[in-house]
Amino acid sequence: MTEDNHSLTTEFILIGFSDYPHLKMLLFVVFFAIYVITMMGNLGLVVLIFMERHLHTPMYIFLGNLALMDSCCSCAITPKILQNLFSKDRLISLHECMVQFYFLCLAETTDCFLLAAMAYDRYVAICIPLQYHTMMSKQLSIQMTMGSYIAGSLHPMIHVTLLLRLRFCASHQINHFFCDVLPLYRLSCVDASINELMILIFSGSIQILTITIVLISYLCILYTIFKMKSKEGRGKALSTCASHFLSISIFYGSLLSMYIRPSSVQEAEKDIPTAIFYTLVIPLLNPFIYSLRNKEIINAMKRIMKRKPHNILKQIPSVTN
């Protein structure tokens, strides 16, 4: 590879888990199981929310789209991991790199805004319950969801566009299991400081904005809960927020440690465990976090299981009416 080669013609090798050839069968089984369970859990949750009229509320609209984005995240990463575990060359073109990063960044950015929207929804439901149906109308929830998708689509476009200005002449080996922009910056023979700065500014701004919304919402929620005189009321209010708060803590914690820590571009070996967590583990856990402690989800699943198959098929078109 020469220094004159433009980035668009470059191919890379994903090192991934090649340091553990004796574990490739075990890794394949583990990652394949994670992928199948993730897709079944998230898409099953989407279908359940779509079919059950009782779940056609703002909170579950956000949750269904969150599950859809988790599926997108898993689809962007896991198939390539499974392929590379038994591939001899483990090659990926820059074009494939950009596509993979685009959909991963789309999913993660959209998740940030959806989680913030869910926090605001819980704030209105607990702190201003009498005005809930006015303040959180179905139309507003759809607009907030569409806004999340628009922001999620635009954000990766900035970084993909900036990626095209780089040239790669030093090495073509990416010390990662997927094509993230941070490992690519390490391989650039052109100064990537502008790219790094844009990652810090845009990713940092999105996370600070959405985390601020979440924190303000939960501070108001906690204040309202502590003012409640009924222990039963406090317990019910806390239970409605527990799953969402747990999901937020895991999600933002891993993202902040990956993209916001100052040394993230220099310390390649520290990226992989964090990346595994936010690209594979979180999409796997979210359906269970939101389902196992949610009585409405559990009751909806029981109703679906009791119905005859032909009744379920009849109901599917009626949901869109």
Side-chain angles (χ1 to χ4, degrees):
M1 189 180 300
T2 65
E3 186 170 346
D4 293 328
N5 283 347
H6 192 274
S7 60
L8 286 176
T9 62
T10 303
E11 286 187 328
F12 303 99
I13 296 176
L14 290 172
I15 301 300
F17 304 97
S18 58
D19 292 339
Y20 310 97
H22 56 292
L23 296 176
K24 65 180 181 180
M25 181 57 71
L26 175 62
L27 290 172
F28 181 88
V29 172
V30 171
F31 289 138
F32 182 75
I34 290 174
Y35 181 60
V36 171
I37 296 171
T38 298
M39 296 304 293
M40 290 180 62
N42 283 289
L43 294 181
L45 191 57
V46 171
V47 171
L48 181 67
I49 292 171
F50 178 76
M51 292 179 62
E52 275 294 307
R53 290 186 179 275
H54 298 87
L55 301 180
H56 293 179
T57 61
M59 183 64 177
Y60 292 107
I61 290 174
F62 298 140
L63 179 56
N65 284 279
L66 184 70
L68 192 62
M69 286 297 97
D70 284 342
S71 300
C72 176
C73 178
S74 186
C75 285
I77 301 299
T78 315
K80 192 65 177 178
I81 296 175
L82 297 176
Q83 177 188 344
N84 285 345
L85 283 172
F86 291 96
S87 174
K88 292 183 179 180
D89 52 34
R90 302 187 299 278
L91 288 176
I92 184 169
S93 68
L94 184 62
H95 173 73
E96 291 176 302
C97 272
M98 290 189 292
V99 171
Q100 190 178 59
F101 169 74
Y102 179 86
F103 283 103
L104 175 64
C105 188
L106 164 67
E108 300 297 345
T109 303
T110 305
D111 277 358
C112 285
F113 286 99
L114 288 173
L115 288 168
M118 292 168 75
Y120 177 73
D121 176 85
R122 292 300 84 197
Y123 156 72
V124 177
I126 293 174
C127 300
I128 324 172
L130 297 179
Q131 299 182 38
Y132 179 78
H133 294 290
T134 304
M135 296 181 64
M136 285 301 300
S137 64
K138 188 175 181 180
Q139 182 180 1
L140 177 60
S141 64
I142 292 174
Q143 290 173 348
M144 293 173 74
T145 301
M146 293 304 298
S148 300
Y149 278 108
I150 292 170
S153 300
L154 293 177
H155 181 220
M157 286 184 185
I158 298 169
H159 304 300
V160 168
T161 302
L162 288 171
L163 190 62
L164 296 175
R165 64 178 284 273
L166 301 181
R167 293 175 183 270
F168 303 93
C169 55
S171 172
H172 63 291
Q173 294 186 342
I174 299 177
N175 187 22
H176 218 305
F177 61 91
F178 71 94
C179 207
D180 198 2
V181 289
L182 297 182
L184 281 176
Y185 295 163
R186 300 184 187 105
L187 302 182
S188 175
C189 54
V190 178
D191 184 13
S193 58
I194 295 177
N195 301 64
E196 297 168 23
L197 180 62
M198 291 300 103
I199 280 279
L200 184 64
I201 290 173
F202 285 98
S203 297
S205 298
I206 288 170
Q207 293 188 44
I208 290 171
L209 172 63
T210 53
I211 288 174
T212 300
I213 294 171
V214 170
L215 289 177
I216 292 174
S217 298
Y218 272 97
L219 285 174
C220 294
I221 288 170
L222 290 174
Y223 178 73
T224 302
I225 289 174
F226 287 137
K227 283 173 56 179
M228 293 179 180
K229 296 180 180 180
S230 169
K231 289 185 179 180
E232 184 180 349
R234 285 198 296 268
K236 186 177 180 181
L238 286 171
S239 66
T240 61
C241 300
S243 299
H244 180 245
F245 187 76
L246 176 61
S247 180
I248 282 174
S249 302
I250 296 172
F251 178 81
Y252 280 111
S254 59
L255 275 188
L256 285 170
S257 65
M258 183 69 181
Y259 289 106
I260 304 303
R261 56 187 168 89
S263 58
S264 62
V265 178
Q266 286 74 33
E267 299 177 351
E269 70 280 358
K270 294 184 180 180
D271 292 347
I272 292 180
T274 306
I276 289 175
F277 200 75
Y278 83 82
T279 58
L280 301 179
V281 177
I282 292 178
L284 171 69
L285 293 179
N286 273 342
F288 300 99
I289 290 174
Y290 284 104
S291 299
L292 295 179
R293 291 178 55 88
N294 192 306
K295 292 182 180 179
E296 291 187 19
I297 293 287
I298 293 173
N299 291 335
M301 290 175 64
K302 290 179 180 178
R303 287 194 296 269
I304 290 291
M305 293 174 65
K306 289 179 181 178
R307 294 173 190 166
K308 295 180 180 179
H310 67 273
N311 290 334
I312 295 176
L313 292 175
K314 286 180 181 179
Q315 187 183 5
I316 292 177
S318 66
V319 176
T320 59
N321 296 330

